[in-house]
Amino acid sequence: MTAPLPISLHVNGERVEAQVLPRLNLADFLREHLKLTGTHVGCEHGVCGACTVRVDGEIVRSCLTLAVQTQGSCVETIEGLSDSGEITDLQNAFRERNALQCGFCTPGMLIAAQDLLKHEKEPDRAQIREHLSGNYCRCTGYQAIIDAVEETAGMRRERKP
Ligand code: FES
Ligand code: FES
């Protein structure tokens, strides 16, 4: 039987040390070991985007990332982005625009949208669609999601022209 390996990383700014099996993926590590259940697991093979998190500032599919690959990294989940206030405006826009229904896709959608907004101050609707094209939503029909991201970009430009 394969032995667990020690890993040490930061998750949402806190140091975490754990013993994990080499095959354990990051999504399951976050959900089952750390009880960070805001990271959702849908397809489990890199298609739906529900498991999106940030590792060292870049968005990744946590279902396709092994926990051991994050040794020494800084992982940020929806809980971290939410608690820090980084995406409060985006979350408010999603709520006001009815850009979520069941909410299953929403954590991944928010993290992917924030990734776009960090890199592009004035994204047009085509860019928003393209950037979110790897995040599936079964409920909203996408228009409200695009509206919410576009509105947040506009509000951020007004605050910091
Ligand atoms: Fe990771 Fe679908 S659960 S992409
Ligand atoms: Fe239900 Fe997106 S709000 S899957």
Side-chain angles (χ1 to χ4, degrees):
M1 196 174 124
T2 314
L5 296 172
I7 57 170
S8 169
L9 63 155
H10 281 83
V11 178
N12 298 330
E14 290 189 18
R15 189 177 170 86
V16 170
E17 307 214 2
Q19 299 274 334
V20 297
L21 289 173
R23 66 170 180 274
L24 181 71
N25 70 38
L26 178 58
D28 289 342
F29 174 64
L30 293 168
R31 290 178 56 83
E32 290 166 19
H33 287 235
L34 304 183
K35 307 301 178 200
L36 293 170
T37 53
T39 299
H40 291 164
V41 176
C43 67
E44 293 186 79
H45 59 272
V47 176
C48 74
C51 66
T52 303
V53 299
R54 283 201 307 225
V55 177
D56 294 333
E58 302 294 330
I59 54 172
V60 303
R61 305 284 209 224
S62 60
C63 72
L64 295 185
T65 306
L66 294 171
V68 292
Q69 290 177 284
T70 63
Q71 162 64 30
S73 299
C74 292
V75 174
E76 294 166 283
T77 68
I78 189 65
E79 289 89 350
L81 270 69
S82 185
D83 289 349
S84 71
E86 177 180 336
I87 56 167
T88 301
D89 54 356
L90 188 58
Q91 289 169 306
N92 289 341
F94 265 61
R95 194 176 308 115
E96 283 158 18
R97 291 283 185 160
N98 292 321
L100 66 153
Q101 290 182 34
C102 77
F104 189 83
C105 70
T106 310
M109 201 67 85
L110 288 166
I111 293 179
Q114 174 65 0
D115 182 66
L116 171 66
L117 295 176
K118 270 173 56 185
H119 295 102
E120 177 60 59
K121 278 198 165 145
E122 200 166 353
D124 61 26
R125 292 180 75 82
Q127 283 174 298
I128 299 170
R129 281 183 192 285
E130 169 68 24
H131 201 82
L132 298 182
S133 62
N135 289 73
Y136 291 3
C137 178
R138 292 166 293 179
C139 308
T140 67
Y142 298 103
Q143 296 296 340
I145 293 171
I146 310 297
D147 291 344
V149 176
E150 191 177 38
E151 180 178 284
T152 304
M155 288 188 304
R156 289 186 185 181
R157 285 198 303 278
E158 279 174 24
R159 283 204 302 270
K160 277 192 198 168

Coordinates of all heavy atoms in Angstrom, one line a residue, residues 4 27 31 37 56 94 101 104 107 125 133 141 144-145 150:
P4 N 1.4 7.6 2.9 CA 1.1 9.0 2.8 C 2.4 9.8 2.8 O 3.4 9.4 3.3 CB 0.3 9.4 4.1 CG -0.2 8.0 4.6 CD 0.8 7.0 4.2
A27 N -8.8 19.1 -4.7 CA -10.2 19.4 -4.3 C -10.6 18.6 -3.1 O -11.2 19.1 -2.1 CB -11.1 19.1 -5.5
R31 N -11.6 19.9 0.7 CA -13.0 19.6 1.2 C -12.9 18.6 2.4 O -13.6 18.8 3.4 CB -13.8 19.0 0.1 CG -14.2 20.0 -1.0 CD -15.0 19.3 -2.1 NE -16.2 18.6 -1.5 CZ -17.4 19.3 -1.3 NH1 -17.5 20.6 -1.6 NH2 -18.4 18.7 -0.8
T37 N -15.5 23.4 2.1 CA -16.4 22.8 1.2 C -17.0 23.8 0.1 O -17.8 23.4 -0.7 CB -17.6 22.2 1.9 OG1 -18.1 23.2 2.8 CG2 -17.1 21.0 2.7
D56 N -0.7 29.9 -6.1 CA 0.3 30.9 -6.4 C -0.2 32.0 -7.3 O 0.5 32.4 -8.3 CB 1.6 30.3 -6.9 CG 2.2 29.4 -5.8 OD1 2.0 29.7 -4.6 OD2 2.9 28.4 -6.1
F94 N -23.4 39.6 -8.4 CA -24.0 38.3 -8.7 C -25.4 38.2 -8.0 O -26.4 37.7 -8.6 CB -23.1 37.1 -8.2 CG -22.2 36.5 -9.3 CD1 -21.3 37.3 -9.9 CD2 -22.3 35.2 -9.7 CE1 -20.4 36.8 -10.9 CE2 -21.5 34.7 -10.7 CZ -20.5 35.5 -11.3
Q101 N -28.4 30.5 -9.2 CA -29.6 29.9 -8.8 C -29.3 28.8 -7.7 O -29.3 29.1 -6.6 CB -30.4 29.3 -10.0 CG -31.0 30.5 -10.8 CD -31.8 30.0 -12.0 OE1 -32.5 29.0 -11.9 NE2 -31.8 30.7 -13.1
F104 N -24.2 26.0 -7.3 CA -23.1 25.0 -7.4 C -21.9 25.5 -8.1 O -20.8 25.3 -7.7 CB -23.7 23.7 -8.0 CG -22.7 22.5 -7.9 CD1 -22.7 21.8 -6.7 CD2 -21.8 22.3 -8.9 CE1 -21.7 20.8 -6.6 CE2 -20.9 21.2 -8.8 CZ -20.9 20.5 -7.6
P107 N -18.9 29.4 -6.8 CA -17.5 29.6 -6.3 C -16.5 29.6 -7.4 O -15.7 30.5 -7.5 CB -17.3 28.5 -5.3 CG -18.7 28.1 -4.8 CD -19.6 28.3 -6.0
R125 N -18.0 41.9 -23.5 CA -18.8 40.7 -23.2 C -18.2 39.4 -23.8 O -18.2 38.4 -23.2 CB -20.2 40.9 -23.6 CG -20.9 42.0 -22.8 CD -22.4 42.2 -23.2 NE -23.3 41.1 -22.8 CZ -23.8 41.0 -21.6 NH1 -23.6 41.9 -20.7 NH2 -24.7 40.0 -21.4
S133 N -15.6 30.5 -20.2 CA -16.1 29.4 -21.1 C -15.8 28.0 -20.5 O -16.3 27.0 -20.9 CB -15.6 29.5 -22.5 OG -14.2 29.4 -22.5
G141 N -28.3 30.3 -17.4 CA -28.3 30.7 -18.8 C -27.2 31.7 -19.2 O -27.2 32.2 -20.3
A144 N -27.0 36.6 -17.1 CA -26.9 37.3 -15.8 C -25.5 37.3 -15.3 O -25.0 38.2 -14.6 CB -27.9 36.7 -14.8
I145 N -24.8 36.2 -15.5 CA -23.4 36.1 -15.0 C -22.5 37.1 -15.8 O -21.7 37.8 -15.2 CB -22.9 34.6 -15.2 CG1 -23.6 33.7 -14.3 CG2 -21.4 34.6 -14.9 CD1 -23.4 32.2 -14.5
E150 N -19.6 42.2 -16.0 CA -19.4 43.5 -16.7 C -19.7 44.6 -15.8 O -18.9 45.6 -15.8 CB -20.4 43.5 -17.9 CG -20.2 44.6 -18.9 CD -21.1 44.5 -20.0 OE1 -22.3 44.2 -19.8 OE2 -20.7 44.8 -21.2

